[in-house]
Amino acid sequence: MTDLAWLVPALPLAGALLLVVFGTRIGEPRAGWLATLATASSFVVTFLVYLDLLGMPSEERLHVVRLFSWIPVGSLQVDLAFLADPLSITMALFVTGIGSLIHLYAIGYMHGDPKFSKFFLYLNLFVFSMLALVLGENLLVTFLGWEGVGACSYFLISFWHTRESAAVAGKKAFVTNRIGDWGVMTAMFVAFSAVGSVSYKTINEAAHEGSMSQTAISAIAILLFVGACGKSAQLPLYFWLPDAMEGPTPVSALIHAATMVTAGVFLMTRVGPVLAASYGWVPDTIAVVGAATALFAATIAVAQHDIKRVLAYSTVSQLGFMFLSIGSGAYVAAIFHMVTHAFFKALLFLGSGSVIHGMHHEQDMRKMGALRATMPVTALTFIIGWLAIAGVPPFAGFWSKDEILLYVYADNRLLYAVGMVTALLTAYYMTRQVILVFFGKARWHDASSEHGAHGDFTPHESPRVMLVPLVVLAALSGVGGFIQLPFSKDLHFLEHWLAPAVEESERSINGTWAYDNKYVLLGVAVIVAVAGIALSVAVYGKRRLPAVEPKLLENAWFYDASVAKVVGGPGAAAFRGVAAFDARVVDGAVNGAGAMARGLGGIVRRAQTGFVRAYAALIAFGAIALLAWFVWRGWLA
Amino acid sequence: MPAPTTLSYLVVAALLFAIGAFGVMARRNPLIMFMCIELMLNAVNLSFVALARELTDIGGQSIVFFVLVVAAAEVVVGLGIIVSVMRNRSSLTADDLAELKG
């Protein structure tokens, strides 16, 4: 079965191709069902591969499926090959699994959209690219998927492209991601010049055995991290993600919460041995950037009013946690948090989509409230998602966040404190959101005049096709944490499963103070989560404390605005300068060469009179001249 | 009258060649120019044969056969072009055919 791993990306690709040809013909809702079927069957194949790998002894669980030689150029040999190992299959499982649920949900959410089939075409293409990214055996196949998900993200953010803000947001995401892509490409060049291959196996082995210089190793690591910063929305390149919420909500859930934005974390884990062998400041940088992003985004989320923007900043913050984990050498914890985050964040996004759907496209939380009565299923599932992200045991987020913080504590206590503050803020702003949306007084009656056509406006519960994914994801958010329980080594299921893929890079914390006192840290985590929730209830539920939502935080520390100012002012001037240099100097040289050849030709062509007798005369005189020259030479000799 | 020597053949050949070359340059009728080119070719043929005899080398005579064959082929193509051009235009001199001038 592992030999059929290539079917995993091939099925969504086939779905996308079928939709290209027949999409508009089969129309709604069959296009949606076709896309869902393609992704779901890909999930089934992934699951079979998973069972197959599970049946093998752990050291044999690295299976390469070579399809054909893709780029054979001299010493650069790149195969189109897929790597089925515990890491890639874990990623593929939740990409296809959550992807199928979101496809199903989108059938309900995109109901009545004029571009219904095109939406599913893009979704399927996205799933294909994402699977190519995670299953790639070498950097180039991953890069193919990497660019593919970037393009699909662009298509889907600007899906409602007639809306100015959506078109701009799509462009912003694409351009920002290009900066990261530069890092990945340059890392590939460095890897090729250092070891003559872009295969993960070769690079990781060279790094592990030290047959590559440490400078080259560090260069690869830091350049790939630049790419990861772009794709996974870390400081300083995070600002495209909140704007990406302009896309339809299923897109936000699938691409900008659960799967694509975790690609950077995945890439870092894949090249773990490279990170482990690089200079000490490389993992430290990653940890600091992750912690800074986590805290920074959490502070912003506190003061947002758009229901999806809160979740967007929360995603940036949680991704920061994952990078903090990577930087601290805790790869299993990072993947663990990635999986649980995919469950509860997809759930929260789909829940917010359900709210938006029920509220007739109202996204401002100040105009919501008391929705638990009219939308019971959405409310209940959303609350489970909230408990999971806030870090309340026994929900999924608690276990994974705690695992990360345990490793961080062993690595650096200052960063641990930053992580704890972030966890407090996370519990606080998520509670705020739940209270504003589902509890308190209904504030949507005031807005009824704006919804003229609807007359007496009441929010309604979403159709069943949208609720089923919510319930499934809520169940997963409830029990997802049990794949890695901290209590005993036997309960580290995820760690045992991932071992062959990460054992070379994973840091051991056995014997540290943190490990011996992990129950103390667990207790602290629970207290912090409960404190955050209690604080938020006091502010937004009981109204005992004033709400602190300064303009500075609402505008995201004016970071985005400052970047826009720099890029729009001096940046644009510099770009114009470069363009002018290109037009005058570079193009001038090229055009000058052409003009010179033309000018010379214009002079010389006059010799071609077109009179055949003139040519004959020239030949004759030429012959005579040659003859004279020979005679003269013979005479001299 | 003394028997003709190789030199006299070469002199005749040179004269024929010069007449032909002069004709190509001086006349405007393409047909006449064509005939002059044939004259030049045959002047060369004559010198080939004369020198082959002088040097007792069969190579010179065999070259002549090649020249004859190629000239025949050239006549076919050249005459074909000239005849079809003449059909399309009423009067014709070589100087009228200057479409390809630079």
Side-chain angles (χ1 to χ4, degrees):
Chain A
M1 199 65 215
T2 39
D3 291 327
L4 290 179
W6 59 273
L7 269 178
V8 175
L11 284 167
L13 180 64
L17 292 177
L18 280 177
L19 283 173
V20 168
V21 182
F22 302 111
T24 43
R25 209 169 304 165
I26 59 175
E28 186 189 346
R30 271 169 293 181
W33 287 110
L34 174 68
T36 311
L37 184 72
T39 314
S41 45
S42 175
F43 175 71
V44 171
V45 175
T46 316
F47 196 73
L48 292 175
V49 174
Y50 165 71
L51 290 182
D52 221 28
L53 285 184
L54 212 54
M56 297 176 186
S58 107
E59 59 277 4
E60 285 174 20
R61 284 183 192 156
L62 298 165
H63 205 89
V64 177
V65 183
R66 272 178 220 291
L67 290 189
F68 52 85
S69 173
W70 184 15
I71 302 177
V73 186
S75 61
L76 174 66
Q77 298 288 336
V78 184
D79 292 334
L80 191 70
F82 296 116
L83 175 62
D85 76 338
L87 178 60
S88 64
I89 291 301
T90 307
M91 296 290 295
L93 270 178
F94 85 78
V95 168
T96 53
I98 293 178
S100 309
L101 289 173
I102 292 174
H103 275 69
L104 187 66
Y105 175 93
I107 294 175
Y109 191 85
M110 298 305 287
H111 171 70
D113 195 281
K115 293 198 292 173
F116 186 84
S117 66
K118 194 172 257 181
F119 181 79
F120 283 94
L121 159 64
Y122 290 151
L123 275 193
N124 259 5
L125 197 61
F126 168 78
V127 173
F128 158 71
S129 307
M130 189 69 205
L131 289 169
L133 194 165
V134 298
L135 286 168
E137 185 268 341
N138 52 57
L139 271 169
L140 201 64
V141 176
T142 294
F143 191 65
L144 172 81
W146 187 273
E147 293 293 296
V149 291
C152 290
S153 161
Y154 166 74
F155 294 145
L156 286 165
I157 293 170
S158 337
F159 187 70
W160 289 316
H161 56 79
T162 46
R163 213 162 62 191
E164 171 82 19
S165 56
V168 171
K171 246 187 292 182
K172 189 172 179 180
F174 196 80
V175 171
T176 315
N177 267 300
R178 295 306 302 170
I179 301 174
D181 297 345
W182 166 84
V184 180
M185 276 193 276
T186 318
M188 265 194 285
F189 303 153
V190 174
F192 176 64
S193 70
V195 293
S197 167
V198 291
S199 159
Y200 288 123
K201 190 161 176 284
T202 321
I203 297 171
N204 282 344
E205 269 170 13
H208 193 60
E209 290 157 8
S211 58
M212 192 174 12
S213 79
Q214 202 174 14
T215 314
I217 294 173
S218 306
I220 294 172
I222 205 78
L223 285 167
L224 285 178
F225 178 61
V226 170
C229 273
K231 201 55 103 195
S232 295
Q234 295 299 291
L235 281 174
L237 297 177
Y238 84 91
F239 46 78
W240 63 271
L241 188 58
D243 285 10
M245 297 303 132
E246 288 292 338
T249 305
V251 171
S252 312
L254 177 61
I255 302 184
H256 305 119
T259 56
M260 183 187 87
V261 288
T262 60
V265 183
F266 161 77
L267 188 62
M268 291 289 104
T269 312
R270 181 54 97 201
V271 296
V274 175
L275 292 191
S278 55
Y279 293 121
W281 56 265
V282 175
D284 289 348
T285 309
I286 295 174
V288 168
V289 168
T293 310
L295 182 62
F296 181 77
T299 58
I300 299 171
V302 165
Q304 296 299 310
H305 299 299
D306 185 312
I307 183 170
K308 279 174 77 183
R309 276 193 167 247
V310 174
L311 293 176
Y313 281 109
S314 158
T315 305
V316 175
S317 176
Q318 298 298 315
L319 289 166
F321 260 110
M322 294 177 212
F323 278 99
L324 175 58
S325 178
I326 296 272
S328 311
Y331 296 90
V332 173
I335 297 293
F336 183 28
H337 196 56
M338 187 197 291
V339 172
T340 58
H341 175 259
F343 293 154
F344 61 69
K345 192 49 70 66
L347 168 63
L348 289 170
F349 263 111
L350 294 186
S352 75
S354 177
V355 169
I356 295 167
H357 193 71
M359 291 286 293
H360 297 274
H361 292 277
E362 179 58 67
Q363 303 199 7
D364 193 333
M365 294 193 297
R366 285 169 299 192
K367 292 178 185 161
M368 296 178 185
L371 288 177
R372 74 181 185 285
T374 42
M375 311 179 82
V377 180
T378 307
L380 185 68
T381 51
F382 201 95
I383 284 169
I384 292 175
W386 157 57
L387 292 173
I389 191 176
V392 175
F395 296 95
F398 170 73
W399 304 110
S400 54
K401 198 183 286 182
D402 183 69
E403 175 96 1
I404 290 179
L405 289 172
L406 176 66
Y407 276 83
V408 174
Y409 190 91
D411 189 53
N412 186 327
R413 289 182 196 185
L414 183 67
L415 294 181
Y416 173 80
V418 174
M420 269 302 159
V421 173
T422 309
L424 180 82
L425 286 172
T426 308
Y428 175 81
Y429 68 70
M430 284 313 296
T431 312
R432 169 181 178 267
Q433 180 170 40
V434 168
I435 291 173
L436 284 180
V437 174
F438 293 105
F439 293 90
K441 272 193 302 215
R443 292 180 298 278
W444 29 268
H445 287 302
D446 345 342
S448 56
S449 57
E450 287 173 30
H451 296 273
H454 292 292
D456 204 15
F457 163 79
T458 31
H460 58 82
E461 184 60 289
S462 301
R464 192 162 295 168
V465 71
M466 288 167 72
L467 294 181
V468 169
L470 286 180
V471 172
V472 175
L473 285 169
L476 287 170
S477 304
V479 301
F482 300 142
I483 55 175
Q484 170 95 344
L485 288 172
F487 304 117
S488 112
K489 280 275 174 212
D490 299 331
L491 295 173
H492 291 197
F493 303 113
L494 186 69
E495 191 177 324
H496 295 314
W497 159 244
L498 284 177
V502 298
E503 63 191 349
E504 282 175 6
S505 40
E506 182 79 2
R507 189 159 162 245
S508 171
I509 57 162
N510 283 357
T512 60
W513 186 90
Y515 188 78
D516 297 334
N517 295 283
K518 58 186 173 185
Y519 295 111
V520 177
L521 294 179
L522 269 178
V524 172
V526 175
I527 292 167
V528 164
V530 172
I533 293 173
L535 189 64
S536 194
V537 168
V539 173
Y540 293 97
K542 312 265 187 233
R543 301 261 164 210
R544 288 211 190 107
L545 294 168
V548 185
E549 296 174 3
K551 276 263 172 278
L552 179 68
L553 296 183
E554 192 180 336
N555 291 308
W557 298 91
F558 294 102
Y559 180 78
D560 196 18
S562 330
V563 171
K565 204 150 220 171
V566 170
V567 174
F575 299 144
R576 271 194 293 275
V578 172
F581 178 82
D582 183 59
R584 300 217 183 101
V585 181
V586 179
D587 287 7
V590 174
N591 292 342
M596 197 175 73
R598 266 179 64 149
L600 266 179
I603 297 166
V604 176
R605 72 181 179 155
R606 301 216 181 112
Q608 303 287 325
T609 55
F611 296 120
V612 69
R613 298 184 309 132
Y615 300 153
L618 275 175
I619 294 170
F621 289 130
I624 290 167
L626 273 177
L627 196 67
W629 188 63
F630 280 121
V631 168
W632 181 61
R633 246 184 33 156
W635 193 45
L636 278 186
Chain B
M1 189 176 168
T5 61
T6 307
L7 182 66
S8 38
Y9 285 108
L10 288 181
V11 170
V12 172
L15 278 174
L16 281 174
F17 189 89
I19 293 168
F22 176 78
V24 169
M25 282 183 278
R27 302 296 299 260
R28 291 186 199 179
N29 188 330
L31 264 178
I32 305 283
M33 287 168 73
F34 207 63
M35 286 158 64
C36 290
I37 291 172
E38 292 302 313
L39 201 58
M40 288 162 74
L41 281 172
N42 283 310
V44 175
N45 281 347
L46 184 59
S47 63
F48 265 126
V49 174
L51 286 170
R53 187 168 178 276
E54 169 75 20
L55 302 173
T56 59
D57 183 350
I58 199 73
Q61 294 194 27
S62 48
I63 290 282
V64 171
F65 281 103
F66 283 106
V67 175
L68 286 179
V69 171
V70 174
E74 177 231 331
V75 166
V76 171
V77 177
L79 270 181
I81 292 171
I82 289 168
V83 169
S84 66
V85 170
M86 284 213 165
R87 274 199 192 143
N88 286 325
R89 303 181 181 219
S90 49
S91 76
L92 185 71
T93 69
D95 292 356
D96 293 333
L97 298 174
E99 264 88 31
L100 286 180
K101 82 166 176 228

